[in-house]
Amino acid sequence: MDRNNHTWMPAWENLTFICEGKQLNNTLQFRVGESPANWPFQLMILQIGLVNSFRLILECVLRPFGKHTFVPQILGAIALGPSLLGQNDTFYTQVLYSPKGVLMINMFKAMGYMFLLFLLSVRLELSIMKECGKLAVILGVASLVVPMVITITFSLFLRDFFQFSGELYKTLPSVAALVSTTSFHVILEVLTDLKLLNSELGRLALSSSMISGISSWLFLAVVFDVQEQLLMGMPEGIVLGQLSKIMVVFIVMFIFRPIMIWMVRKTPDGKPLKEPFVCGIVLMLLCVAMFGEYSGQHFYFAPVILGMATPNGPTVVSSLMENLDCFVQAVFVPCFVIDAGRRTNINLMKLKNFVVVELLMTVSTLAKFVSIIVPSLYFKMPFLDALSLGFILNCKGLFDVQFFSRGNKLRLISNDNFAALVIGSAFQSAMCTWLVKLIYDPSRRYFAYARHTIEHINQEDSELRVLACVYQQDNVPSIISVIEDSNPTKEDPIEVYVLNLKQSVGGTVPLLISHQVKSSSSSYKPNEVDHVINAFCQIERRNQGLSMVQCYTSCAPYPTLHDAVCSMAQEKTTSLIILPVTNSNDPSTRIVNRNILKYAPCSVGILFDPRKTGRSILPHQAMKKVCVIFLGGSDDRETLAYGARMAMNPYIVLALIRLVDENQISDADLIEKRHDLNMITEFKHFTANSSNKVQFIEYATTEGSETAMLLRSICKRFDLILVGRRHDNSSALLSGLSEWNEKEELGVIGDMLASSDFDCRAHVLVIQQQASVVQEMIESPRRSSCRMSISDRPSLSISSIY
């Protein structure tokens, strides 16, 4: 085939017959001069290996501009095609355009696109469309209708004004329609790359793209079906094709979906699907795709419907992703991009066609920007967020390339148009994702303009609101023990929000499930979440001042799981987040805890339980020894405020141990010192009537080794130890200790207490005061008017020192 004159026509007009021998597995033929073009399997392996190699190299090169999935893939395929390696005649004829190799690649390409569509559709959560607000609906409709109307109108004006002729004249409206569409599968991948799936902007982008994407998909499906039937001379097939789609929907919804729901019910809670169930779902996918092909549809319709009908939840999604995603991405998807790159020849593109197509893409992009930014600003969205949303919804991906490819094969667009669209899509996607990474900071929304801490609880909101996070069922007893120690009473109640954190496979749409208390029944089999709910319900019933408002489960990939915690803490205006940590060195939970410490809109308590198994949940009737270790600083003041609340518990004996520098040499801020002294003075005044249950002990040390010896001596004498997380590492009290810090999230003191060398038997609660507060509000002149005397509200907290 001549690379300068190859065309792509529908299969019914350009038939090629390939005759194969019975034996094609003797690879020794390569050594005796046999042409590589006769061995399709080896050719396919070679091309897949080359594309994956190019992709890895380009990912490393583009890493400073952010993570991309689509751009390295398509650029690697273009490099493999006639634009670069295909310039070599031997490679072009023997590898790239070998008829047997093309046939093999096309078969794997179809399989890859089918499985990729299915896996991405499985990851989608249709309930997002039900819950999306008015803004998402407006954006979804406007981002499709406005660009399409403006771009098609501009294309008609352009071709008549410049009097284009031939293919360019016929294909301009089709190009305008294709560049105006949006694929929600592409937006899902972009949000995954940017790690914005669990953010507020990400959920808005995904919900609006689903509205515009499904509309675009249905519109293009009808257009492609009509064009295909007209080219075949079978107009009656248009109606039959649509009826067959209804049959596919019926089979999926009333046969396959109930079977998948039965599979989920037969799977134990928290366990992946059994291998026969996974194979059964794959068989369903192959069956509906085959039925679609036999009934006159394109194979891409059935996988989308089956994916959307698959039951949501980590059980099914995680099992399918873990079993299929890696192979699909490494083997099938490269075959898909190889076909696109093979048909993109930069060297033969006509400049006029390229300029016109890119001009239409620019007009469509600007029109979509306007249709997104104007409604967003009208609904009071910050300008940078609206701009980021516009960039995200303008990204292109593999599914847009598939639409371009289908339009090319149906002669709706020319070869030059296809090549220009592929190159323009890669450039546009790279620029948009890079700009979003530059201008959008998802953590900015967690910045608080008021103190949400235990130390600064005010009179208008006297109850202590706690967000208790649970990784596993064994975390519950220790969390409940700390909450009961916090002295919930009718006068000073505690509201507890329970968030069960579950990991899902990367790229899946985060789920937030609200649970209700289920009545006991002999036919009902409780799961792990029900045990957690029932445990908190027990302490709610026996503590009149404690209320568990709601229990939730958040399913998200670990890199974004902290977004669910921070969002709920901000929404519920909690003052404290309790995070469990165990002796295990699980890096995933440690990453989540670190991210929460960094972005939390309130104070955070890291709870270390030295026991490998939690204690049984029993009423707290025995005296409990609690220790507060005070070195100074905002975290220690928050810890002391929490300890003051515990001191009011009739079953708590509290000891405040203050460590001071014997040499009185410290670079600490004098204002911080004054705040520390004021806090301790108020604590003494506050607990003056409870001197028999509260002790104040002061130790003077000269170096870090003495501090370590002191901590070792007291860690076995208490049931619960409260300590601040952040301290001045230059202080003589901690000299040399920070070098041995293994778990950064616990701080220097907390890490020592949690160390196996200390053999600490007490629970350790490491507290960090709210970190993400806008300093202008903290330093407001109204500090003095907001000050609350501890004598006025003795059971709430230590008074604010500001």
Side-chain angles (χ1 to χ4, degrees), residues 585-597:
N585 292 318
D586 183 6
S588 301
T589 57
R590 293 185 64 186
I591 290 173
V592 176
N593 289 349
R594 288 175 184 175
N595 288 335
I596 293 173
L597 287 168

Side-chain angles (χ1 to χ4, degrees), residues 312-330:
N312 294 312
T315 300
V316 178
V317 178
S318 299
S319 299
L320 292 174
M321 294 290 291
E322 290 175 357
N323 285 277
L324 300 176
D325 187 62
C326 182
F327 183 78
V328 170
Q329 294 290 342

Side-chain angles (χ1 to χ4, degrees), residues 597-611:
L597 287 168
K598 183 177 180 181
Y599 300 118
C602 63
S603 297
V604 181
I606 305 292
L607 179 60
F608 173 76
D609 185 358
R611 301 168 180 83

Side-chain angles (χ1 to χ4, degrees), residues 630-650:
F630 191 93
L631 279 74
S634 59
D635 290 355
D636 281 22
R637 293 195 294 271
E638 182 77 357
T639 302
L640 188 55
Y642 198 25
R645 184 178 185 110
M646 289 185 175
M648 296 297 101
N649 191 319

Side-chain angles (χ1 to χ4, degrees), residues 178-179 400-408 413 418 421-422 425:
L178 286 172
V179 299
D400 297 293
V401 173
Q402 170 61 18
F403 289 144
F404 302 154
S405 177
R406 188 88 193 280
N408 179 221
I413 62 176
F418 174 80
L421 287 171
V422 170
S425 298

Side-chain angles (χ1 to χ4, degrees), residues 313 701 724:
T701 61

Side-chain angles (χ1 to χ4, degrees), residues 120 123-124 181-194 196-197 201-210 212-213 368 389-397 399-400:
L120 286 173
R123 288 159 52 184
L124 290 171
T181 58
T182 302
S183 172
F184 55 90
H185 294 98
V186 171
I187 304 304
L188 176 60
E189 286 197 324
V190 170
L191 293 173
T192 302
D193 290 342
L194 294 172
L196 295 178
L197 268 177
L201 185 71
R203 288 191 290 269
L204 177 60
L206 188 59
S207 57
S208 58
S209 69
M210 288 183 68
S212 61
K368 189 171 292 189
L389 184 61
F391 284 128
I392 291 173
L393 294 180
N394 268 296
C395 289
K396 301 292 184 182
F399 298 94
D400 297 293

